[in-house]
Structures are given as C-alpha cells and as structure tokens.
Amino acid sequence: MGKVIIVEGKTDKQRLQQLLAEPVEIACTNGTIGEDKLEELISEYSEDEVFVLLDADYSGDKVRRLFKQDFPNVRHLYTHRMYREVATTPWHVLAQILEGAHFEVQIPDDEET
C-alpha cells in the first residue's frame, strides 16, 4: 500500500516532487474533472492511501466536492486561501501541510523557487 496525492495540474505536481522526501505517487486531474474520469482515476489507486491537495479556488472546490461525495475515504489536505494555488504556496507552508499528514518532506535549498 503506497501513498498517492491527487493535485490539479503539472505545476502542483512538480512543486510537491521537489518537497517530498519519500516515494509518493502524484496524480493530476488536469483541472476540472467529471465523475467518470474521477472514478477512473481513483480506481487506479484502490489499494493505496489517497490524499487530495487542490487549489483553494472555485475549480478546486468543485473537484473536492466530487471527491467528498463519491469517495469519502480519501484524505483532504488544504492549502490556505490566501495563497489560492498549491503551486504558489510557500515551501514552509506546504511542508507543514504535508508533515501534518505524516509525509516526509525536505525543503529545497532555494526556498524562493
């Protein structure tokens, strides 16, 4: 059983890959996703511990509602509304979010990236 984090886009995925210090599968919804695509995505990870980390905006909220409705067992992680997007959330804030969910993290040397 592995860990999977579902994010919206490629830049979110790249940011998390730079921060995570353990092997974690990161899957992208590529924006707004329908119920069929969501079910297809989740079925790939039926044996894994699934986390959802989406942007704090309308699109992210919409996808999050689908997850809560159709897949109540996924764990939801939240970025702060003031940063809106996972990709623009500061390293130290993302690290706190992930550490709170028991992920191993390592803040990159260049924290400004």
Side-chain angles (χ1 to χ4, degrees):
M1 180 172 179
K3 291 181 180 177
V4 178
I5 301 176
I6 298 175
V7 296
E8 288 181 76
K10 189 171 74 172
T11 55
D12 300 334
K13 179 178 180 174
Q14 291 169 342
R15 188 134 175 109
L16 292 183
Q17 286 173 327
Q18 293 175 2
L19 189 59
L20 288 162
E22 66 177 286
V24 177
E25 177 78 24
I26 303 172
C28 297
T29 66
N30 297 313
T32 304
I33 189 170
E35 288 184 46
D36 292 339
K37 287 286 188 185
L38 183 63
E39 189 170 326
E40 187 178 305
L41 179 65
I42 288 290
S43 68
E44 292 181 45
Y45 304 111
S46 62
E47 301 296 318
D48 299 307
E49 187 176 8
V50 179
F51 297 82
V52 176
L53 178 57
L54 304 170
D55 294 344
D57 59 11
Y58 176 78
S59 177
D61 291 343
K62 185 176 177 181
V63 174
R64 192 178 295 280
R65 279 192 300 275
L66 280 175
F67 272 104
K68 286 182 178 180
Q69 174 184 324
D70 296 337
F71 302 98
N73 293 333
V74 302
R75 291 198 46 205
H76 293 268
L77 306 177
Y78 297 86
T79 188
H80 298 275
R81 286 230 177 255
M82 67 189 296
Y83 304 121
R84 293 189 47 87
E85 299 177 2
V86 173
T88 58
T89 301
W91 291 116
H92 71 280
V93 175
L94 275 179
Q96 287 175 338
I97 293 165
L98 293 170
E99 287 173 333
H102 307 290
F103 285 94
E104 294 178 34
V105 300
Q106 180 177 345
I107 296 176
D109 292 335
D110 181 10
E111 290 186 42
E112 300 302 312
T113 309

